Amino acid sequence: KQEVTQIPAALSVPEGENLVLNCSFTDSAIYNLQWFRQDPGKGLTSLLLIQSSQREQTSGRLNASLDKSSGRSTLYIAASQPGDSATYLCAVSGTASKLTFGTGTRLQVTL
Amino acid sequence: SQTIHQWPATLVQPVGSPLSLECTVEGTSNPNLYWYRQAAGRGLQLLFYSVGIGQISSEVPQNLSASRPQDRQFILSSKKLLLSDSGFYLCAWSFWSSAGPGANYGYTFGSGTRLTVV
């Protein structure tokens, strides 16, 4: 059974800092990994999708890497802003035809 | 472009009452559709998924059921709500790729329905 872990569970940083969120998964037989953002009381917004054949994806200040063999992914956020405050979720997609989610990292960026 | 709609956004229902949550997708055909639940302080749990009209797979035994009467419509129902049914319900869609069983092009989620059973 696939298990996804996210570290840290919560993070508070001052504005402008670069930060890294970590995601690990136990079964490396995945098709892709997706990073989502969830604002309080809202749905999930897809940030980045990395297919298993890819090593990284970039969108603006966000960069996500994938090391499938070691079961790890990182989400790098450059020059953090207060608007980046949210919960960040990673999810992997395998042969079970469903997404398995981590429990998330709650990020707060302070002024 | 594809969009996904969920309604209502919030719902407060008494224990024992029925439930119907609706999800529709626009701008695409024959998507895979999913219902997830996010309980307070917990992660996201897959409840049901559908690969076509009338085809429903249930992930966990529960007090809920799902139906797909039309290609782009997915409905989550209950005949009698329990307190434990409270949570945040999210609908999602995806497309499978040819890379293998379960391979896909990513998931897109709706804005969710906050259900409180009192």
Side-chain angles (χ1 to χ4, degrees), chain A residues 26-96:
Chain A
T26 55
D27 185 352
S28 62
I30 65 168
Y31 288 113
N32 57 51
L33 183 145
Q34 202 164 353
W35 282 94
F36 294 91
R37 168 186 173 140
Q38 186 176 29
D39 293 288
K42 304 295 184 182
L44 274 63
T45 300
S46 180
L47 299 173
L48 291 164
L49 170 69
I50 312 176
Q51 297 292 351
S52 61
S53 59
Q54 299 173 321
R55 297 284 292 182
E56 66 176 345
Q57 285 285 330
T58 298
S59 176
R61 293 182 294 108
L62 305 179
N63 176 278
S65 66
L66 174 65
D67 185 342
K68 183 181 166 184
S69 60
S70 68
R72 295 179 182 179
S73 175
T74 61
L75 178 65
Y76 176 82
I77 302 177
S80 58
Q81 303 171 357
D84 294 330
S85 299
T87 295
Y88 290 81
L89 295 159
C90 73
V92 297
S93 182
T95 57

Side-chain angles (χ1 to χ4, degrees), chain A residues 31-32 34 38 42 93 98, chain B residues 36 38 59 88 101 104 107:
Chain A
Y31 288 113
N32 57 51
Q34 202 164 353
Q38 186 176 29
K42 304 295 184 182
S93 182
K98 65 179 183 179
Chain B
Y36 279 83
Q38 189 175 37
E59 283 292 302
F88 192 49
N104 59 81
Y107 287 64

